[in-house]
């Protein structure tokens, strides 16, 4: 196990390094002027800014400087904000983690609870209608659904705030009042992402439980007179929990990257919103930092999925 883990970790690190280099090059090959916001400045000031951000250097030289800085934890300075990219990412990461982890917990909690019950009632009217509703939600564009929810819940009835992380007029020491206000701001983006992402883990778990319930040992348990509730909980749901937990690793990147459009719709100040701002403003250092963080989440999530799968499935570990 230790040898496999070391090889898998090394493979993930090399993959992430290659992805970051590719993203660095692709972002700099996009059309547009990285110093477009400085177009009205005097030429000597503009040249000084180009030298400061390194955009006047050859592409390979820029890549070398970026790689050297990356090894020391330095992703450069944002053109739009004039602050270190690492500092901006650290400031916006908590908002994305709050939204993403809330959605993940809801998705997998509902997937386990509802998947067990739908598998036990496979083919029933409730099962068919639940599958249709889930697929309809999964097919909806998240940004469109977000706007659709804002209309009645925020604009018409005024039940929930339409945008932002918290009321900017609340004092910093508001304590419980501020926490409640953040929770109210969280509801609409959380609901939007939950409705559009629940189908995958739920259907995955439902199918796993359904196949387990059709196995020989479950039929033997029923033949022994084991109550149906115990059959579902002990013989059906518990053995099917491993694949669902392994899916969590593959689902983690959504916490950083999958909410990009939703964060833009609700002005949720997370990494997705920051990425959209950086790309729109041609802020190459910031866009590269956001993309590198997204690649780290994707590759780290797949690494975690492989590790969980190997730990939870004895057939793979063997």
């Amino acid at each position: 196990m230790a040898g496999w883990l070391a090889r898998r970790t090394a493979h993930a690190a090399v993959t992430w390094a290659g992805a970051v280099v590719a993203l660095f090059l692709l972002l700099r090959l996009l059309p547009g002027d990285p110093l477009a916001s400085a177009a009205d400045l005097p030429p000597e000031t503009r040249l000084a800014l180009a030298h400061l951000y390194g955009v006047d250097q050859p592409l390979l030289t820029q890549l070398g400087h970026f790689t050297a800085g990356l090894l020391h934890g330095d992703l450069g300075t944002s053109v739009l904000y004039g602050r270190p990219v690492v500092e901006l990412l650290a400031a916006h990461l908590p908002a994305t983690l709050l939204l993403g982890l809330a959605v993940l917990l809801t998705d997998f909690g509902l997937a386990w609870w509802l998947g067990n019950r739908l598998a036990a009632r496979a083919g029933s009217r409730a099962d068919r209608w639940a599958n249709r509703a889930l697929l309809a939600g999964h097919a909806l564009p998240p940004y469109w659904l977000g706007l659709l929810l804002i209309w009645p819940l925020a604009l018409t009835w005024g039940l929930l705030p339409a945008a932002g992380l918290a009321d900017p007029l609340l004092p910093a020491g508001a304590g419980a009042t501020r926490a409640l206000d953040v929770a109210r701001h969280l509801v609409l983006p959380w609901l939007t992402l939950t409705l559009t992402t629940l189908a995958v883990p739920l259907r995955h778990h439902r199918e796993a439980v359904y196949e387990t319930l059709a196995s020989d040992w479950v039929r033997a348990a029923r033949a022994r007179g084991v109550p149906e509730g115990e059959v579902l909980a002990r013989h059906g749901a518990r053995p099917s929990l491993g694949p669902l937990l392994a899916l969590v690793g593959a689902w983690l990147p959504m916490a950083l990257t999958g909410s990009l459009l939703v964060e833009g719709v609700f002005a949720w100040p997370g990494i997705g919103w920051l990425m959209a701002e950086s790309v729109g403003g041609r802020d190459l250092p910031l866009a590269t930092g956001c993309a590198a963080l997204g690649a780290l989440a994707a590759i780290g999530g797949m690494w975690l999925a492989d590790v969980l799968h190997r730990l939870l499935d004895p057939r793979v570990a063997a």
Side-chain angles (χ1 to χ4, degrees):
M1 179 64 182
W4 174 87
L5 185 61
R7 291 192 301 272
R8 185 64 184 86
T9 303
H11 181 267
V14 171
T15 303
W16 179 73
V20 170
V21 170
L23 289 167
F24 178 92
L25 296 174
L26 288 173
L27 285 171
R28 278 151 184 80
L29 293 175
L30 291 175
D33 183 7
L35 296 177
S37 58
D40 297 332
L41 295 177
E44 58 275 12
T45 305
R46 183 179 170 82
L47 289 174
L49 288 174
H51 181 72
L52 175 65
Y53 293 111
V55 297
D56 60 339
Q57 300 173 352
L59 187 57
L60 291 180
T61 304
Q62 294 182 44
L63 178 60
H65 290 322
F66 172 78
T67 304
L70 183 62
L71 293 175
H72 294 86
D74 181 12
L75 294 172
T77 303
S78 167
V79 177
L80 291 176
Y81 298 96
R83 295 168 58 190
V85 171
V86 173
E87 181 182 316
L88 288 169
L89 293 178
H92 288 79
L93 184 59
T96 289
L97 290 179
L98 174 63
L99 174 59
L101 293 178
V103 174
L104 285 171
L105 291 174
T106 306
D107 275 356
F108 284 87
L110 283 176
W112 182 83
W113 179 79
L114 190 56
N116 294 338
R117 282 146 184 79
L118 293 180
R121 298 168 176 79
S124 66
R125 179 178 297 180
D127 182 42
R128 293 195 300 270
W129 279 105
N131 281 319
R132 291 168 185 167
L134 288 169
L135 289 175
H138 187 66
L140 293 175
Y143 61 88
W144 181 83
L145 180 60
L147 293 173
L148 196 65
L149 292 174
I150 287 175
W151 178 25
L153 296 177
L155 300 181
T156 303
W157 299 328
L159 299 177
L160 295 167
L165 176 66
D167 187 347
L169 299 180
L170 283 176
T177 303
R178 183 173 181 83
L180 181 61
D181 187 62
V182 171
R184 293 183 67 248
H185 282 79
L186 177 66
V187 170
L188 283 179
W190 163 81
L191 183 60
T192 300
L193 281 174
T194 299
L195 291 175
T196 54
T197 58
L198 177 59
V200 173
L202 195 151
R203 286 178 62 85
H204 184 87
H205 185 59
R206 178 206 174 274
E207 293 301 319
V209 176
Y210 178 73
E211 291 179 5
T212 304
L213 291 176
S215 61
D216 293 338
W217 73 81
V218 172
R219 286 197 292 268
R222 285 170 172 160
R224 292 195 305 269
V226 178
E228 191 61 30
E230 185 178 346
V231 168
L232 176 61
R234 183 176 179 181
H235 300 283
R238 188 181 298 177
S240 304
L241 189 59
L244 182 64
L245 291 178
L247 186 64
V248 172
W251 210 242
L252 278 177
M254 189 272 296
L256 285 178
T257 58
S259 58
L260 190 149
L261 294 176
V262 172
E263 287 186 3
V265 168
F266 293 101
W268 186 262
I271 299 297
W273 176 84
L274 194 65
M275 179 71 176
E277 290 287 307
S278 63
V279 172
R282 290 289 291 153
D283 188 342
L284 297 180
L286 184 56
T288 305
C290 292
L293 188 59
L296 180 62
I299 295 169
M302 296 307 298
W303 176 89
L304 181 59
D306 288 345
V307 172
L308 287 174
H309 192 198
R310 193 174 182 88
L311 290 175
L312 296 170
D313 192 339
R315 296 169 299 179
V316 177

